[in-house]
Amino acid sequence: MSGGVIVVGSLHYDLMVEAPDRPRKGETVTGHAWYPKFGGKGGNQAVAAAKAGAATRFVGAVGRDDFAELMRGTLQAEGIAIDRVATIDQCGTGMSVAIIDADGDYGAVIVSGANLQIDTAQFADPDLWRGAKVLILQNEVPEAVNIAAAQAARVNGLQVCLNAAPWRAMSADLIALIDILVVNAVEAEDMGTPPVTDLASAEQAANELSVQVPTAIVTAGGDGVAWALRDGGTGAMPSLPVTVVSTHGAGDMFIGTLCHAMAQGAVVEAALTQANAAAARHISTPHRAT
C-alpha cells in the first residue's frame, strides 16, 4: 500500500430523488425519478481516491441488513480494502435521502445508524497504517472517532485531511491534529470567516483558517477553490467551465483526488489542479442510467 490513502468515515445507502425544486416547509413537490446509490462522504471519498489511482483502505461500519451488501460490494468493486468494515447487529446501515433540483443542486437528510459505532480500538494496530501516507476524515462519524484515528495516523507518520462536512463545532483537540482542512463557503463562515462570495473572499477565508491548520482549502462552488499555507503562500484557481448535470458528490470527488495526489508527493497547487479537474468531470457526467 505504498503511498496509499486510508479513509475513516461514513457509509450511506442513498435514495436519490429528482424533482423540479426542493420543497419548502409544508410543501409537497412532485418528482419525476428516484434511484438508490452508494454513498456517505467517507465511502464516496474512498471511491474517489481509488478512481484517482490510490491504494485505498476503508474503515467504517454497516448494519446487518440488505443495504450493507451495496456498501461492501461497491467498495470491493473499486479495489478498496474492506477488512476493517465492521457489521453492527444493534443498528442499521446508514442511509440518506437527497433531492436534486432542476439546476443540479441538492439537499439531503442523513440517518447515521452504524456509522456511529466505529470501533476506535483498531486504530492501535500498526498494520492498518502500513504504507499509507494520508488519512481522510469527515464529520459524519463521531468526533471521538476522528480524534482517535487522527492521533494514530500522526504516530504512524500520515498526514491528516479533514473535510469539515457536515458542519459542527470542533474541539481544539481535533483541530490540533489536522494537517489539511477542506471546507466549502458555508463551512468556512461557520468557522468564523467573513462571507465567501467569490474567489477573492475564499482566499481571504483560507488565509484566516490557516492560522488554525497548516493547510486551509476553501471551495467556492462554481467560482473555484482557494488555499493558504500557515508557513506562507496563498492562491486561488477558477473552476473549469462545464455543463452541470448534478453537483451531488462533487466535493467528495475533489477530496479523494486531492488526497491521492498529496499522498504521491504533489505540492498543494498541483494537487488542487488535479482535484479541480476531477470535480469538473464529475458534475458534468450523468451517474445513472437514463
Side-chain angles (χ1 to χ4, degrees):
M1 194 180 180
S2 179
V5 171
I6 294 176
V7 182
V8 174
S10 55
L11 292 169
H12 290 143
Y13 185 95
D14 288 347
L15 284 177
M16 311 296 295
V17 178
E18 295 181 358
D21 205 349
R22 286 169 282 169
R24 297 169 294 176
K25 184 177 181 179
E27 180 185 19
T28 298
V29 173
T30 299
H32 54 267
W34 71 271
Y35 51 95
K37 177 181 169 292
F38 170 89
K41 285 191 172 297
N44 286 338
Q45 290 169 11
V47 167
K51 285 185 179 297
T56 307
R57 177 174 293 130
F58 189 85
V59 181
V62 293
R64 194 174 297 281
D65 52 31
D66 292 342
F67 291 169
E69 295 180 13
L70 176 63
M71 304 297 102
R72 292 181 185 277
T74 300
L75 292 170
Q76 286 181 307
E78 297 293 344
I80 298 168
I82 62 167
D83 52 306
R84 306 277 179 163
V85 178
T87 299
I88 309 298
D89 290 322
Q90 296 87 349
C91 55
T93 299
M95 66 89 64
S96 75
V97 177
I99 300 175
I100 303 172
D101 64 26
D103 294 325
D105 292 323
Y106 74 98
V109 176
I110 66 171
V111 179
S112 295
N115 293 307
L116 301 180
Q117 305 297 324
I118 296 172
D119 182 9
T120 60
Q122 63 191 308
F123 300 144
D125 182 359
D127 287 341
L128 170 62
W129 309 102
R130 190 164 287 118
K133 295 297 184 182
V134 176
L135 167 68
I136 302 177
L137 303 171
Q138 331 78 37
N139 280 343
E140 288 183 343
V141 301
E143 183 174 276
V145 173
N146 280 345
I147 289 175
Q151 287 173 333
R154 278 287 187 87
V155 169
N156 287 277
L158 280 73
Q159 286 188 291
V160 177
C161 175
L162 174 69
N163 176 211
W167 166 252
R168 68 184 177 207
M170 295 180 291
S171 70
D173 289 342
L174 177 58
I175 292 173
L177 293 164
I178 299 168
D179 297 298
I180 307 159
L181 174 70
V182 184
V183 293
N184 65 18
V186 174
E187 292 148 6
E189 291 178 41
D190 286 334
M191 292 190 72
T193 74
V196 175
T197 56
D198 53 22
L199 269 185
S201 56
E203 189 169 352
Q204 179 185 352
N207 261 306
E208 294 194 11
L209 293 173
S210 69
V211 174
Q212 302 181 59
V213 296
T215 301
I217 296 169
V218 178
T219 60
D223 289 322
V225 60
W227 71 93
L229 308 181
R230 178 189 286 166
D231 293 339
T234 68
M237 65 179 65
S239 61
L240 299 176
V242 295
T243 300
V244 175
V245 174
S246 171
T247 61
H248 186 76
D252 297 331
M253 179 60 69
F254 179 93
I255 297 287
T257 306
L258 171 77
C259 289
H260 166 58
M262 297 195 77
Q264 296 299 306
V267 298
V268 172
E269 186 171 359
L272 286 170
T273 298
Q274 294 181 43
N276 205 30
R281 288 192 299 270
H282 181 83
I283 66 174
S284 60
T285 303
H287 295 286
R288 72 178 183 94
T290 56

PDB file of all heavy atoms in Angstrom, residues 218-232:
ATOM      1  N   VAL A 218     -10.451  26.299   0.768  1.00  0.00           N
ATOM      2  CA  VAL A 218     -11.853  26.727   0.762  1.00  0.00           C
ATOM      3  C   VAL A 218     -12.388  26.577  -0.656  1.00  0.00           C
ATOM      4  O   VAL A 218     -11.893  27.225  -1.591  1.00  0.00           O
ATOM      5  CB  VAL A 218     -11.998  28.183   1.231  1.00  0.00           C
ATOM      6  CG1 VAL A 218     -13.471  28.620   1.157  1.00  0.00           C
ATOM      7  CG2 VAL A 218     -11.481  28.339   2.667  1.00  0.00           C
ATOM      8  N   THR A 219     -13.375  25.713  -0.817  1.00  0.00           N
ATOM      9  CA  THR A 219     -14.014  25.552  -2.123  1.00  0.00           C
ATOM     10  C   THR A 219     -15.157  26.554  -2.233  1.00  0.00           C
ATOM     11  O   THR A 219     -15.909  26.755  -1.286  1.00  0.00           O
ATOM     12  CB  THR A 219     -14.533  24.122  -2.321  1.00  0.00           C
ATOM     13  OG1 THR A 219     -15.496  23.808  -1.300  1.00  0.00           O
ATOM     14  CG2 THR A 219     -13.398  23.110  -2.243  1.00  0.00           C
ATOM     15  N   ALA A 220     -15.274  27.165  -3.399  1.00  0.00           N
ATOM     16  CA  ALA A 220     -16.260  28.225  -3.591  1.00  0.00           C
ATOM     17  C   ALA A 220     -17.220  27.895  -4.725  1.00  0.00           C
ATOM     18  O   ALA A 220     -17.588  28.757  -5.532  1.00  0.00           O
ATOM     19  CB  ALA A 220     -15.550  29.549  -3.857  1.00  0.00           C
ATOM     20  N   GLY A 221     -17.621  26.611  -4.808  1.00  0.00           N
ATOM     21  CA  GLY A 221     -18.612  26.199  -5.795  1.00  0.00           C
ATOM     22  C   GLY A 221     -18.169  26.513  -7.208  1.00  0.00           C
ATOM     23  O   GLY A 221     -17.042  26.229  -7.613  1.00  0.00           O
ATOM     24  N   GLY A 222     -19.064  27.147  -7.958  1.00  0.00           N
ATOM     25  CA  GLY A 222     -18.780  27.445  -9.351  1.00  0.00           C
ATOM     26  C   GLY A 222     -17.694  28.471  -9.569  1.00  0.00           C
ATOM     27  O   GLY A 222     -17.199  28.636 -10.693  1.00  0.00           O
ATOM     28  N   ASP A 223     -17.291  29.177  -8.498  1.00  0.00           N
ATOM     29  CA  ASP A 223     -16.228  30.171  -8.639  1.00  0.00           C
ATOM     30  C   ASP A 223     -14.841  29.532  -8.666  1.00  0.00           C
ATOM     31  O   ASP A 223     -13.921  30.067  -9.289  1.00  0.00           O
ATOM     32  CB  ASP A 223     -16.289  31.198  -7.511  1.00  0.00           C
ATOM     33  CG  ASP A 223     -17.488  32.128  -7.637  1.00  0.00           C
ATOM     34  OD1 ASP A 223     -17.822  32.497  -8.780  1.00  0.00           O
ATOM     35  OD2 ASP A 223     -18.099  32.468  -6.606  1.00  0.00           O
ATOM     36  N   GLY A 224     -14.673  28.406  -7.937  1.00  0.00           N
ATOM     37  CA  GLY A 224     -13.374  27.748  -7.923  1.00  0.00           C
ATOM     38  C   GLY A 224     -12.933  27.391  -6.520  1.00  0.00           C
ATOM     39  O   GLY A 224     -13.756  27.113  -5.649  1.00  0.00           O
ATOM     40  N   VAL A 225     -11.622  27.422  -6.268  1.00  0.00           N
ATOM     41  CA  VAL A 225     -11.077  26.990  -4.987  1.00  0.00           C
ATOM     42  C   VAL A 225      -9.888  27.880  -4.621  1.00  0.00           C
ATOM     43  O   VAL A 225      -9.147  28.348  -5.493  1.00  0.00           O
ATOM     44  CB  VAL A 225     -10.645  25.505  -5.049  1.00  0.00           C
ATOM     45  CG1 VAL A 225      -9.583  25.281  -6.118  1.00  0.00           C
ATOM     46  CG2 VAL A 225     -10.156  25.016  -3.698  1.00  0.00           C
ATOM     47  N   ALA A 226      -9.736  28.118  -3.299  1.00  0.00           N
ATOM     48  CA  ALA A 226      -8.620  28.921  -2.806  1.00  0.00           C
ATOM     49  C   ALA A 226      -7.914  28.164  -1.697  1.00  0.00           C
ATOM     50  O   ALA A 226      -8.492  27.279  -1.064  1.00  0.00           O
ATOM     51  CB  ALA A 226      -9.118  30.271  -2.294  1.00  0.00           C
ATOM     52  N   TRP A 227      -6.645  28.521  -1.454  1.00  0.00           N
ATOM     53  CA  TRP A 227      -5.881  27.843  -0.417  1.00  0.00           C
ATOM     54  C   TRP A 227      -4.911  28.809   0.236  1.00  0.00           C
ATOM     55  O   TRP A 227      -4.573  29.859  -0.327  1.00  0.00           O
ATOM     56  CB  TRP A 227      -5.124  26.651  -0.993  1.00  0.00           C
ATOM     57  CG  TRP A 227      -3.969  27.023  -1.883  1.00  0.00           C
ATOM     58  CD1 TRP A 227      -2.655  27.183  -1.536  1.00  0.00           C
ATOM     59  CD2 TRP A 227      -4.036  27.306  -3.284  1.00  0.00           C
ATOM     60  NE1 TRP A 227      -1.894  27.527  -2.635  1.00  0.00           N
ATOM     61  CE2 TRP A 227      -2.714  27.610  -3.715  1.00  0.00           C
ATOM     62  CE3 TRP A 227      -5.079  27.321  -4.211  1.00  0.00           C
ATOM     63  CZ2 TRP A 227      -2.436  27.932  -5.035  1.00  0.00           C
ATOM     64  CZ3 TRP A 227      -4.788  27.651  -5.520  1.00  0.00           C
ATOM     65  CH2 TRP A 227      -3.477  27.942  -5.924  1.00  0.00           C
ATOM     66  N   ALA A 228      -4.488  28.429   1.446  1.00  0.00           N
ATOM     67  CA  ALA A 228      -3.470  29.200   2.157  1.00  0.00           C
ATOM     68  C   ALA A 228      -2.670  28.259   3.039  1.00  0.00           C
ATOM     69  O   ALA A 228      -3.222  27.299   3.599  1.00  0.00           O
ATOM     70  CB  ALA A 228      -4.112  30.302   3.006  1.00  0.00           C
ATOM     71  N   LEU A 229      -1.375  28.528   3.151  1.00  0.00           N
ATOM     72  CA  LEU A 229      -0.473  27.738   3.973  1.00  0.00           C
ATOM     73  C   LEU A 229      -0.082  28.543   5.202  1.00  0.00           C
ATOM     74  O   LEU A 229       0.225  29.741   5.097  1.00  0.00           O
ATOM     75  CB  LEU A 229       0.774  27.349   3.184  1.00  0.00           C
ATOM     76  CG  LEU A 229       0.555  26.685   1.821  1.00  0.00           C
ATOM     77  CD1 LEU A 229       1.896  26.344   1.185  1.00  0.00           C
ATOM     78  CD2 LEU A 229      -0.316  25.457   1.959  1.00  0.00           C
ATOM     79  N   ARG A 230      -0.061  27.896   6.344  1.00  0.00           N
ATOM     80  CA  ARG A 230       0.321  28.592   7.567  1.00  0.00           C
ATOM     81  C   ARG A 230       1.730  29.185   7.460  1.00  0.00           C
ATOM     82  O   ARG A 230       2.005  30.278   7.963  1.00  0.00           O
ATOM     83  CB  ARG A 230       0.253  27.633   8.758  1.00  0.00           C
ATOM     84  CG  ARG A 230       0.679  28.263  10.073  1.00  0.00           C
ATOM     85  CD  ARG A 230       0.790  27.209  11.155  1.00  0.00           C
ATOM     86  NE  ARG A 230      -0.520  26.760  11.601  1.00  0.00           N
ATOM     87  CZ  ARG A 230      -0.712  25.662  12.340  1.00  0.00           C
ATOM     88  NH1 ARG A 230       0.326  24.898  12.667  1.00  0.00           N
ATOM     89  NH2 ARG A 230      -1.928  25.323  12.732  1.00  0.00           N
ATOM     90  N   ASP A 231       2.618  28.472   6.787  1.00  0.00           N
ATOM     91  CA  ASP A 231       4.002  28.921   6.656  1.00  0.00           C
ATOM     92  C   ASP A 231       4.204  29.965   5.562  1.00  0.00           C
ATOM     93  O   ASP A 231       5.324  30.397   5.303  1.00  0.00           O
ATOM     94  CB  ASP A 231       4.916  27.724   6.389  1.00  0.00           C
ATOM     95  CG  ASP A 231       4.996  26.778   7.579  1.00  0.00           C
ATOM     96  OD1 ASP A 231       4.695  27.225   8.705  1.00  0.00           O
ATOM     97  OD2 ASP A 231       5.350  25.605   7.382  1.00  0.00           O
ATOM     98  N   GLY A 232       3.112  30.342   4.913  1.00  0.00           N
ATOM     99  CA  GLY A 232       3.202  31.363   3.879  1.00  0.00           C
ATOM    100  C   GLY A 232       2.833  30.828   2.513  1.00  0.00           C
ATOM    101  O   GLY A 232       3.170  29.701   2.161  1.00  0.00           O
TER     102      GLY A 232
END
